Amino acid sequence: DIVLTQSPVLAVSLGQRATISCRASQSVSISSINLMHWYQQKPGQQPKLLIYRASNLASGIPARFSGSGSGTDFTLTIDPVQADDIAAYYCQQSRESPHTFGAGTKLELK
Amino acid sequence: EVQLVESGGGLVQPGRSLKLSCAASGFTFSNYYMAWVRQAPKKGLEWVATISTSGSRTYYPDSVKGRFTISRDNAKSSLYLQMNSLKSEDTATYYCARHADAGDWFAYWGQGTLVTVSS
């Protein structure tokens, strides 16, 4: 199985940039298609799709969210961070089955 | 508006069975692959099962293969998960999710239903 590694916690100040990383145990890219996706989950709520195929913003997601990366290293950036962005963020790969998730990064306020 | 509403969760003893349901609305259900994803308490997300549009193809990780069965009724816009031989490690909130149009990521999620496996 492809293992996705995320840092457990990231502390950030409001108005600053947050950079959340996800590293895969093997490449999740096929040619130029990067099969990494990002979700946001607030406490007590279901996950919400933010970014698909590494860099495409899902419908209704604010432009302060962006994604980048290829191969094994991917990044979700939130700039600037707002109070409403305090949540857990999960990466997920669809390069091969089983479709695994990272353990999540909890975004906290400094 | 896409809506996915799960039901059927509850407390069940180890070794017993439980069937979850998901009622879908706001989109043409029969056009989309559907999935179940679970989340153990205070833990991360784990994909559990996926079913094709017609129901002819199903996919599972090894952790539930042979114990869980995903199915669908397109006439009723409903998704199901039959869980047999339940173990304590199956305790989780189970989310119904709609696959994206173009790939194996999860575009929409229900609010989840909690399954607790305990004696």
Side-chain angles (χ1 to χ4, degrees):
Chain A
D1 297 1
I2 296 177
V3 177
L4 304 181
T5 301
Q6 298 183 248
S7 297
V9 177
L10 177 66
V12 64
S13 302
L14 292 179
Q16 299 301 303
R17 174 185 298 175
T19 303
I20 298 171
S21 63
C22 177
R23 174 164 287 177
S25 59
Q26 62 190 77
S27 175
V28 299
S29 302
I30 302 176
S31 298
S32 60
I33 301 174
N34 302 302
L35 297 171
M36 184 67 79
H37 324 289
W38 290 93
Y39 303 85
Q40 176 194 65
Q41 187 179 32
K42 297 179 181 178
Q45 295 187 17
Q46 68 268 51
K48 179 198 296 187
L49 177 67
L50 294 177
I51 301 283
Y52 62 95
R53 288 185 179 170
S55 60
N56 297 278
L57 209 59
S59 176
I61 303 302
R64 65 178 183 275
F65 290 90
S66 63
S68 63
S70 65
T72 60
D73 292 299
F74 296 85
T75 300
L76 171 69
T77 300
I78 312 170
D79 189 11
V81 169
Q82 298 186 0
D84 188 51
D85 302 333
I86 300 307
Y89 292 86
Y90 295 91
C91 54
Q92 177 240 327
Q93 64 81 22
S94 60
R95 173 63 179 83
E96 64 179 41
S97 185
H99 301 140
T100 48
F101 291 84
T105 296
K106 196 172 180 181
L107 189 65
E108 295 181 346
L109 285 179
K110 258 185 201 174
Chain B
E1 179 193 4
V2 172
Q3 286 204 331
L4 300 168
V5 180
E6 302 92 337
S7 60
L11 175 64
V12 61
Q13 293 179 328
R16 304 298 290 263
S17 299
L18 197 65
K19 186 173 185 176
L20 306 182
S21 300
C22 171
S25 61
F27 64 101
T28 304
F29 182 74
S30 58
N31 286 354
Y32 291 89
Y33 277 47
M34 296 294 296
W36 290 95
V37 179
R38 69 183 178 183
Q39 185 171 35
K42 305 293 186 185
K43 298 293 185 182
L45 300 164
E46 180 186 17
W47 166 70
V48 169
T50 285
I51 189 167
S52 64
T53 52
S54 66
S56 62
R57 292 185 300 275
T58 56
Y59 310 87
Y60 308 93
D62 287 345
S63 57
V64 307
K65 196 177 294 183
R67 298 190 301 123
F68 289 11
T69 302
I70 188 172
S71 62
R72 65 191 297 162
D73 184 336
N74 286 342
K76 294 183 177 179
S77 294
S78 292
L79 179 72
Y80 306 100
L81 184 69
Q82 176 68 45
M83 303 184 293
N84 298 333
S85 303
L86 282 162
K87 307 174 183 180
S88 58
E89 51 262 43
D90 295 319
T91 293
T93 295
Y94 285 74
Y95 295 102
C96 168
R98 196 194 88 177
H99 274 254
D101 299 45
D104 291 326
W105 58 92
F106 308 106
Y108 295 94
W109 300 64
Q111 85 289 347
T113 187
L114 178 62
V115 173
T116 303
V117 184
S118 174
S119 54

